[in-house]
Amino acid sequence: MIKPRWIHRVRRALLAAGATAALTAGFLSATTTASQAATQGPCDIYAAGGTPCVAAHSTTRALYGTYNGPLYQVRRASDSTTLNIGLLSAGGYANAAAQDTFCANTSCVITVIYDQSGKGNNLTQAPAGGAAGGPDNLANAFEAPVTVGGHEAYGVYVAPGTGYRNNNTNGIATGDQPEGMYAIFDGTHFNGGCCFDYGNAETSSTDTGNGHMEAIYFGNSKAWGYGSGNGPWVMADLENGLFSGVNRTLNSGDPTVNNRFLTAMVKGGPNQWAIRGGDARSGGLSTYYSGVRPNVSGYNPMHKEGAIILGIGGDNSKGAQGTFYEGVMTSGYPSDATENAVQANITAAGYNSGSTGTGALTPGSRISLQATTSPCCTSDYLRHDDADTKVVISGINSSSSATDKADATWIVRAGLANSSCLSFESANNPGQYLRHYNYELYLNTDDGGGAFAQDATFCPTTGNSGVGHSFQSVNYPTKYLRHYNYTAYIASNGGSNAWDSTSSWAQDTSWLTASPWS
C-alpha cells in the first residue's frame, strides 16, 4: 500500500512536535490490517519513534517493510552445503519451501541468523565461554514449524547446549547507554536452566561482573529472581542475577506467562528499566515492572558490553531451552507508545502453530498410534508413562482421564535426522520426543545433538502386516517400532533380544494412525 504524500507530511509534523502518542493512535499504529503488516515492520515503527533498530533477527518474516535480503542460512548434513533462506517478497514472509526442498532426504541446521538492520550484527554458532565449552550446538532447522500470515515458516528451536552469539557488534549499547529489545518466544517451551536469553552480553563470553549484561530471559528458574506463580516469567538477565523487578528475589508484579506465542520486552537506561509482555497473537502489552535499577550493588550505573546472545547466558551457560521467532535491539530507550505500536504490528503478522490437522502422518498433525495385534491389543495406544520416561501401550477410551489421553497423543514433526522421515513430539510435554536408547523407547528432551536426532527419527512404511504403517528406525534400518509385553522397543524380525521374537512381529510393528485422543 502506497501512502499519499500528505500522510508523510503529517507524520513528520507529528514527530517533530514530539507527539509520540501518534504511534499508537495515528498513522503509525500498525493496527490489525494485513496491508499495514505488509508495508511496515517493527523496525520502521522503532525508527519513527526515534529509537532505531541496531539489530533485527528473524527466521519467519522481514522486520522492515522494504527488507528483501536473507533471513537465515541452513547447512545440510548430507554434503555440508549451505543455503540462504530469503523472503517470498520484500517486506514479507520467509520462503520456507526453499528450505524444504534443499533439506529433503537429509537434515539441516541453522548456521546464521542475519541482521536485517544493516549493521552486520549476524548471529552465528556460539564459541566456548567461561561456564561451558564450545562451540555450541546449532538449531535443527525443522524443529519449530509455524505459520505466519498463513505462510509456512520455521523458528529457532533451542535445545540445551544450543547457542548463537556475536561478540564483535556494531551500534549495540555499551556502558549505561539506553536500549530496548523485544523477542517473540514459544511460551510453552522453557525450563529452569540457565539461561534462555536474547540481548546484550559480554564480549569475552565470560562473566565480568554485575551489570555487564542486559538481555531478555524467559523460563522458570528461581535461582536468582522470580515473579508470581510457578513461572515461566519474562525477566532481565543483568549478569549474576535474573531480575523480575527492583528486588533480587521476588517481585510479585511479574506474572507467570505461557502464551503459545509470547512478546517479551526489556528496556534499560540510566537508573531506569522496564519489563513488558503480551500475547503475540492478540491484545496489547502489560508492564510487569518499570522503575529504578535493582537495589543491589553493581547495576547502577550499568556496564553493558554490547555482544548479542541467543539461547545462552553471557558466560555461555547453556542448560536452558526455548524457541525464538524474531527479535530486535534498539538504540535509545523506546517509549511505551512505540512499543505498543510494535505489539500491534506483531499481532497483525498472524503467528499460528504449525499444526496442519489431525490423524495424518504429515508434519504438524496431531495423532494417536493404535496397536493392531489381535486379540490382545487393538484397544491399546502408544503412550508415555508418567511414572518414568518409558514408552508403553495401554488401553485408552473415551472414559480415560485427560492425562492418559494426552499421554497417548503425539505431534508429527519432520524427522530430526531426515526431513523426509518423521519424529514424534509429545503433545503434553513440548520439546520431548519419542526416541530409542539401547533399543527401548523413551520420552526424552531433545539435547540438540546428532545422536538424539538419529534416535528420534523414524521412516514410515506400509505396515509389515499389510495393515496401517510401520516405523523404521533411521539409524537401525532393520528395526521397527514394536510393542512387546506392553513396552515399546525398536525390534528386528528375529534376533538376540527377547523383543526381536518372530512371534507376532509383523502385527506388533504395524500401527493405525488414529485421531488424537487429546
Side-chain angles (χ1 to χ4, degrees):
M1 180 178 72
I2 298 175
K3 296 181 175 66
R5 291 181 183 273
W6 68 268
I7 289 182
H8 294 288
R9 290 197 299 269
V10 170
R11 176 192 297 169
R12 288 194 296 269
L14 287 170
L15 292 174
T20 56
L23 288 163
T24 49
F27 304 108
L28 300 181
S29 63
T31 53
T32 56
T33 63
S35 60
Q36 283 182 310
T39 55
Q40 66 175 347
C43 287
D44 300 310
I45 297 169
Y46 277 117
T51 52
C53 295
V54 288
H57 304 109
S58 176
T59 57
T60 62
R61 66 172 183 144
L63 301 179
Y64 292 84
T66 59
Y67 185 75
N68 199 23
L71 297 179
Y72 62 102
Q73 182 186 87
V74 295
R75 184 180 69 221
R76 63 187 178 199
S78 58
D79 59 4
S80 295
T81 301
T82 60
L83 177 72
N84 285 341
I85 305 300
L87 296 158
L88 295 171
S89 61
Y93 302 98
N95 183 6
Q99 174 179 309
D100 294 340
T101 300
F102 180 74
C103 301
N105 300 308
T106 185
S107 62
C108 279
V109 292
I110 297 172
T111 49
V112 183
I113 306 169
Y114 289 107
D115 174 21
Q116 300 178 31
S117 76
K119 298 286 188 179
N121 293 320
N122 303 331
L123 296 175
T124 57
Q125 188 173 28
D136 294 353
N137 294 329
L138 295 167
N140 186 300
F142 285 93
E143 212 158 343
V146 293
T147 60
V148 188
H151 300 277
E152 176 191 19
Y154 296 100
V156 182
Y157 185 98
V158 174
T162 302
Y164 294 83
R165 194 176 196 118
N166 186 331
N167 283 339
N168 298 286
T169 60
N170 177 24
I172 305 300
T174 59
D176 210 24
Q177 291 176 339
E179 66 179 347
M181 61 195 77
Y182 86 82
I184 299 178
F185 299 139
D186 179 347
T188 69
H189 184 206
F190 61 91
N191 68 5
C194 180
C195 292
F196 183 68
D197 289 350
Y198 173 73
N200 195 321
E202 295 96 337
T203 57
S204 61
S205 300
T206 61
D207 179 350
T208 53
N210 295 3
H212 284 250
M213 288 181 62
E214 187 165 68
I216 304 167
Y217 165 83
F218 181 68
N220 66 343
S221 172
K222 296 181 74 172
W224 295 280
Y226 53 95
S228 60
N230 295 320
W233 305 281
V234 178
M235 296 192 282
D237 189 342
L238 305 180
E239 190 54 277
N240 299 318
L242 301 176
F243 287 91
S244 55
V246 70
N247 301 311
R248 176 175 282 282
T249 54
L250 171 65
N251 293 276
S252 58
D254 193 10
T256 291
V257 286
N258 56 7
N259 305 98
R260 173 61 180 84
F261 295 95
L262 172 70
T263 304
M265 292 184 173
V266 167
K267 55 185 173 181
N271 201 24
Q272 65 171 337
W273 70 290
I275 307 171
R276 307 186 77 201
D279 187 338
R281 288 192 283 191
S282 64
L285 295 170
S286 297
T287 300
Y288 305 149
Y289 175 78
S290 180
V292 298
R293 289 292 185 180
N295 54 13
V296 183
S297 64
Y299 299 100
N300 183 32
M302 293 285 286
H303 314 281
K304 291 174 275 192
E305 297 188 24
I308 305 174
I309 53 173
L310 172 60
I312 52 177
D315 60 0
N316 198 42
S317 296
K318 53 182 179 180
Q321 65 184 32
T323 300
F324 171 91
Y325 301 105
E326 65 178 68
V328 312
M329 300 175 67
T330 71
S331 174
Y333 193 92
S335 69
D336 285 359
T338 296
E339 292 175 332
N340 293 341
V342 168
Q343 167 69 358
N345 178 277
I346 290 168
T347 60
Y351 273 93
N352 213 330
S353 67
S355 177
T356 56
T358 60
L361 287 177
T362 54
S365 180
R366 296 169 71 94
I367 64 166
S368 292
L369 290 173
Q370 184 178 6
T372 64
T373 307
S374 180
C376 76
C377 308
T378 55
S379 297
D380 291 349
Y381 292 79
L382 191 73
R383 60 166 296 176
H384 62 89
D385 189 344
D386 288 327
D388 50 37
T389 61
K390 292 186 177 183
V391 175
V392 298
I393 61 167
S394 69
I396 305 290
N397 56 50
S398 59
S399 300
S400 297
S401 70
T403 297
D404 287 345
K405 290 177 180 178
D407 290 349
T409 300
W410 306 89
I411 302 173
V412 181
R413 298 299 190 197
L416 301 184
N418 184 330
S419 64
S420 298
C421 297
L422 303 173
S423 294
F424 299 97
E425 183 180 10
S426 168
N428 58 344
N429 288 278
Q432 297 187 23
Y433 286 78
L434 182 71
R435 61 85 59 95
H436 66 81
Y437 180 77
N438 285 341
Y439 309 116
E440 190 168 353
L441 270 292
Y442 296 89
L443 185 72
N444 288 159
T445 299
D446 180 12
D447 64 7
F452 183 98
Q454 294 274 327
D455 294 347
T457 301
F458 304 88
C459 298
T461 67
T462 300
N464 289 322
S465 68
V467 174
H469 292 89
S470 293
F471 299 98
Q472 181 184 37
S473 168
V474 77
N475 53 347
Y476 290 92
T478 64
K479 297 182 182 293
Y480 292 78
L481 178 58
R482 178 189 192 174
H483 64 86
Y484 180 81
N485 284 344
Y486 301 98
T487 300
Y489 300 90
I490 56 167
S492 57
N493 190 10
S496 58
N497 302 305
W499 53 84
D500 294 324
S501 170
T502 59
S503 177
S504 300
W505 180 86
Q507 281 188 305
D508 292 352
T509 57
S510 298
W511 305 83
L512 294 178
T513 304
S515 295
W517 278 109
S518 175

